[in-house]
Amino acid sequence: MRPRRFLPAGPLKGRIRVPGDKSISHRSIMLGALAVGETRVTGLLEGEDVLATAAAMRAMGASVKRLDKGNSGAEWVINGVGVGALLQPEAPLDMGNSGTSTRLLMGLVASHPITATFTGDGSLSKRPMGRVIDPLTTMGASFEASAGGRLPLILKGADTPVPITYRLPVASAQVKSAILLAGLNTPGITTVIEPVPTRDHSERMLRGFGADITVETDADGARVISIRGEAELRPQTIEVPGDPSSAAFFIVAALVVPGSEVLIENVGLNPTRAGIIEVLRLMGGSIEEVSPREVGGEPVADLLVRHSALRGIAVDPAIVPSMVDEFPALFVAASLAEGVTTTSGLEELRVKESDRISVMATALAAAGARVEEREDGLVITGTGGEPLVGTNGAIATHLDHRIAMSMAIAGLVSRTGVEVDDTRPIATSFPVFESMLAQLATDLAA
Ligand code: S3P
């Protein structure tokens, strides 16, 4: 455990560039590892979750190397094995804290004639895997999972995988992607029907790598995504845009700390990810998009964020999939807004790295916020900009990076600070979070 007390701060001023998008980073390594030839990736997130994906792809035969480029960061060079040619890993694949690595890699292994064991940390071992086990079983894979369809589990891939048409029972980009990745090495056409749109990085990137993939909308408005199997992927050069989910912590920080003005460069604004910006604007947040452009096939802009008096709102549950990871940060903003913020339709938050509804309710209440927990969301009555009291003891983060970072931000607008029991999980997605926070504070002192 590495506890830390996050103390009240003056205005945050300056410019930062958040690390690469986690979802896109995972996918670049996986698809690079399946393309024959050399894929080059810049801006890759070097967080623990993505490194777990890199290690797993190496264990299955790909070459994944990091080249240091001095001031211009690093370039990752991946030499893939080809679809259908993944090797059987000799040791269990340790997925650490990463649900995305686990579920997407289960998809890849499921249609290869190999067996792999997946293990993970205490948080990941509590998360449901049935949602991918079910469709992948229909495709011909077999599983020996721990009780409740959890890790550790052994996955035996199909010798002759069969294509399926699968309607997603939960709005999950991980489940969608697992099936599409399994479809890559499955003869025929594999189809996923998505009643509620989720992040579409897999579709975009599969197309970029040359897979035959179509996306249509059916009569009910559902997205129908089909991929032709036994694909041959062509290696790519990829620039990963900044992660909007990481930017969200600094967007909220700049909005709630009086006097702040922060420019966050190179933030990915894929519409399937940008819900938090829309919601914070509806609450009165000043977030300006500067120099909109395209990076790596994704819309990107710099965001200029200024301290704003926020007002509580009822968040439309239809927007949840496009900001599913941003609710912990939003709850902090709501705690400091004027009036009541109501959130609903958040059942999926209970099966993330922690139960983010209950853990954030407990953490914010301990810091002095007025929070009511409901089955599918939180109702928060904000302070109207007055600082929270702060915590006596430490907040329990339950191995959840986003709880740690959200409560760190809450500490900036508190009287006595907010203590977080363990900052180590932050390294899963945002290893430089604490130094960036310090940098914005240093800019103030300078
Ligand atoms: C992700 C999908 C989301 C998200 C996770 C990353 C992805 O999970 O919460 O952080 O990269 O596909 P679900 O598919 O479980 O909603």
Short mmCIF file of all heavy atoms in Angstrom, two decimals, residues 394-419:
data_model
loop_
_atom_site.label_atom_id
_atom_site.label_comp_id
_atom_site.label_asym_id
_atom_site.label_seq_id
_atom_site.Cartn_x
_atom_site.Cartn_y
_atom_site.Cartn_z
N ALA A 394 -8.28 7.16 5.99
CA ALA A 394 -7.98 7.03 4.56
C ALA A 394 -9.19 6.43 3.82
O ALA A 394 -9.89 5.57 4.34
CB ALA A 394 -6.77 6.15 4.36
N ILE A 395 -9.38 6.89 2.60
CA ILE A 395 -10.39 6.34 1.70
C ILE A 395 -9.93 4.98 1.20
O ILE A 395 -8.76 4.84 0.81
CB ILE A 395 -10.51 7.27 0.47
CG1 ILE A 395 -11.05 8.64 0.85
CG2 ILE A 395 -11.29 6.64 -0.65
CD1 ILE A 395 -12.42 8.59 1.42
N ALA A 396 -10.83 3.99 1.20
CA ALA A 396 -10.48 2.67 0.65
C ALA A 396 -10.69 2.69 -0.86
O ALA A 396 -11.81 2.94 -1.33
CB ALA A 396 -11.34 1.60 1.30
N THR A 397 -9.64 2.44 -1.62
CA THR A 397 -9.74 2.53 -3.08
C THR A 397 -9.96 1.16 -3.75
O THR A 397 -10.20 1.11 -4.96
CB THR A 397 -8.48 3.17 -3.68
OG1 THR A 397 -7.35 2.52 -3.13
CG2 THR A 397 -8.41 4.64 -3.36
N HIS A 398 -9.84 0.07 -3.01
CA HIS A 398 -10.16 -1.26 -3.53
C HIS A 398 -9.45 -1.58 -4.85
O HIS A 398 -10.08 -2.10 -5.78
CB HIS A 398 -11.68 -1.41 -3.70
CG HIS A 398 -12.44 -1.28 -2.42
ND1 HIS A 398 -12.68 -2.34 -1.58
CD2 HIS A 398 -12.98 -0.19 -1.81
CE1 HIS A 398 -13.35 -1.92 -0.52
NE2 HIS A 398 -13.54 -0.61 -0.63
N LEU A 399 -8.18 -1.27 -4.95
CA LEU A 399 -7.39 -1.57 -6.16
C LEU A 399 -7.98 -0.91 -7.40
O LEU A 399 -7.87 -1.44 -8.52
CB LEU A 399 -7.27 -3.09 -6.39
CG LEU A 399 -6.40 -3.87 -5.42
CD1 LEU A 399 -6.48 -5.36 -5.71
CD2 LEU A 399 -4.94 -3.40 -5.48
N ASP A 400 -8.61 0.25 -7.24
CA ASP A 400 -9.26 0.90 -8.38
C ASP A 400 -8.62 2.26 -8.64
O ASP A 400 -8.83 3.23 -7.90
CB ASP A 400 -10.77 1.05 -8.10
CG ASP A 400 -11.54 1.54 -9.32
OD1 ASP A 400 -10.94 2.21 -10.19
OD2 ASP A 400 -12.75 1.25 -9.39
N HIS A 401 -7.86 2.32 -9.75
CA HIS A 401 -7.15 3.55 -10.12
C HIS A 401 -8.07 4.77 -10.20
O HIS A 401 -7.69 5.86 -9.77
CB HIS A 401 -6.44 3.33 -11.47
CG HIS A 401 -7.32 2.82 -12.58
ND1 HIS A 401 -7.26 3.31 -13.85
CD2 HIS A 401 -8.28 1.87 -12.62
CE1 HIS A 401 -8.13 2.66 -14.62
NE2 HIS A 401 -8.75 1.79 -13.89
N ARG A 402 -9.27 4.57 -10.75
CA ARG A 402 -10.13 5.75 -10.95
C ARG A 402 -10.73 6.27 -9.64
O ARG A 402 -11.05 7.44 -9.52
CB ARG A 402 -11.21 5.47 -11.99
CG ARG A 402 -10.63 5.11 -13.35
CD ARG A 402 -11.54 5.32 -14.52
NE ARG A 402 -11.06 4.57 -15.67
CZ ARG A 402 -10.08 4.98 -16.50
NH1 ARG A 402 -9.49 6.13 -16.31
NH2 ARG A 402 -9.69 4.22 -17.49
N ILE A 403 -10.86 5.41 -8.65
CA ILE A 403 -11.29 5.89 -7.32
C ILE A 403 -10.16 6.73 -6.72
O ILE A 403 -10.38 7.83 -6.20
CB ILE A 403 -11.61 4.69 -6.38
CG1 ILE A 403 -12.65 3.76 -6.98
CG2 ILE A 403 -12.02 5.22 -4.99
CD1 ILE A 403 -14.04 4.31 -7.14
N ALA A 404 -8.94 6.23 -6.83
CA ALA A 404 -7.79 6.95 -6.25
C ALA A 404 -7.66 8.34 -6.88
O ALA A 404 -7.50 9.35 -6.18
CB ALA A 404 -6.51 6.14 -6.45
N MET A 405 -7.74 8.41 -8.22
CA MET A 405 -7.54 9.71 -8.88
C MET A 405 -8.72 10.66 -8.61
O MET A 405 -8.52 11.86 -8.41
CB MET A 405 -7.33 9.50 -10.39
CG MET A 405 -5.97 8.86 -10.69
SD MET A 405 -5.60 8.76 -12.45
CE MET A 405 -6.40 7.22 -12.88
N SER A 406 -9.93 10.13 -8.57
CA SER A 406 -11.09 10.99 -8.31
C SER A 406 -10.99 11.60 -6.92
O SER A 406 -11.23 12.80 -6.74
CB SER A 406 -12.39 10.17 -8.39
OG SER A 406 -12.52 9.64 -9.69
N MET A 407 -10.63 10.77 -5.94
CA MET A 407 -10.58 11.30 -4.57
C MET A 407 -9.38 12.23 -4.38
O MET A 407 -9.42 13.13 -3.55
CB MET A 407 -10.60 10.15 -3.56
CG MET A 407 -11.93 9.39 -3.54
SD MET A 407 -13.43 10.44 -3.49
CE MET A 407 -13.25 11.22 -1.88
N ALA A 408 -8.33 12.02 -5.18
CA ALA A 408 -7.20 12.97 -5.17
C ALA A 408 -7.70 14.36 -5.59
O ALA A 408 -7.36 15.38 -4.98
CB ALA A 408 -6.10 12.49 -6.11
N ILE A 409 -8.54 14.39 -6.62
CA ILE A 409 -9.09 15.67 -7.10
C ILE A 409 -10.01 16.28 -6.03
O ILE A 409 -9.97 17.49 -5.78
CB ILE A 409 -9.87 15.46 -8.43
CG1 ILE A 409 -8.96 14.88 -9.53
CG2 ILE A 409 -10.53 16.76 -8.90
CD1 ILE A 409 -7.71 15.66 -9.81
N ALA A 410 -10.79 15.42 -5.37
CA ALA A 410 -11.67 15.94 -4.30
C ALA A 410 -10.83 16.61 -3.22
O ALA A 410 -11.22 17.64 -2.65
CB ALA A 410 -12.50 14.79 -3.71
N GLY A 411 -9.67 16.05 -2.95
CA GLY A 411 -8.78 16.62 -1.93
C GLY A 411 -8.35 18.04 -2.23
O GLY A 411 -8.11 18.85 -1.32
N LEU A 412 -8.26 18.38 -3.52
CA LEU A 412 -7.81 19.73 -3.91
C LEU A 412 -8.80 20.79 -3.45
O LEU A 412 -8.44 21.94 -3.23
CB LEU A 412 -7.66 19.82 -5.45
CG LEU A 412 -6.72 18.81 -6.13
CD1 LEU A 412 -6.73 19.04 -7.64
CD2 LEU A 412 -5.30 18.92 -5.58
N VAL A 413 -10.09 20.39 -3.38
CA VAL A 413 -11.13 21.35 -2.96
C VAL A 413 -11.72 20.86 -1.64
O VAL A 413 -12.91 20.55 -1.53
CB VAL A 413 -12.21 21.51 -4.03
CG1 VAL A 413 -13.08 22.74 -3.73
CG2 VAL A 413 -11.59 21.68 -5.42
N SER A 414 -10.86 20.74 -0.63
CA SER A 414 -11.31 20.31 0.70
C SER A 414 -10.59 21.18 1.73
O SER A 414 -9.62 21.86 1.39
CB SER A 414 -10.96 18.84 0.92
OG SER A 414 -9.55 18.69 1.01
N ARG A 415 -11.08 21.16 2.96
CA ARG A 415 -10.40 21.98 3.99
C ARG A 415 -9.16 21.29 4.53
O ARG A 415 -8.13 21.91 4.71
CB ARG A 415 -11.37 22.27 5.14
CG ARG A 415 -12.52 23.13 4.72
CD ARG A 415 -13.28 23.72 5.90
NE ARG A 415 -14.58 24.17 5.47
CZ ARG A 415 -14.80 25.23 4.67
NH1 ARG A 415 -13.78 25.98 4.27
NH2 ARG A 415 -16.02 25.54 4.30
N THR A 416 -9.27 19.98 4.76
CA THR A 416 -8.17 19.30 5.45
C THR A 416 -7.46 18.28 4.56
O THR A 416 -6.54 17.61 5.00
CB THR A 416 -8.70 18.55 6.69
OG1 THR A 416 -9.67 17.59 6.24
CG2 THR A 416 -9.35 19.51 7.68
N GLY A 417 -7.90 18.15 3.32
CA GLY A 417 -7.29 17.17 2.43
C GLY A 417 -8.04 15.85 2.45
O GLY A 417 -8.89 15.61 3.31
N VAL A 418 -7.75 15.03 1.47
CA VAL A 418 -8.38 13.71 1.36
C VAL A 418 -7.25 12.69 1.30
O VAL A 418 -6.35 12.79 0.46
CB VAL A 418 -9.27 13.61 0.10
CG1 VAL A 418 -9.63 12.16 -0.20
CG2 VAL A 418 -10.53 14.45 0.28
N GLU A 419 -7.32 11.71 2.22
CA GLU A 419 -6.29 10.68 2.22
C GLU A 419 -6.79 9.44 1.48
O GLU A 419 -7.90 8.97 1.72
CB GLU A 419 -5.88 10.31 3.64
CG GLU A 419 -4.69 9.39 3.63
CD GLU A 419 -4.12 9.12 5.02
OE1 GLU A 419 -4.39 9.94 5.93
OE2 GLU A 419 -3.46 8.09 5.17
#
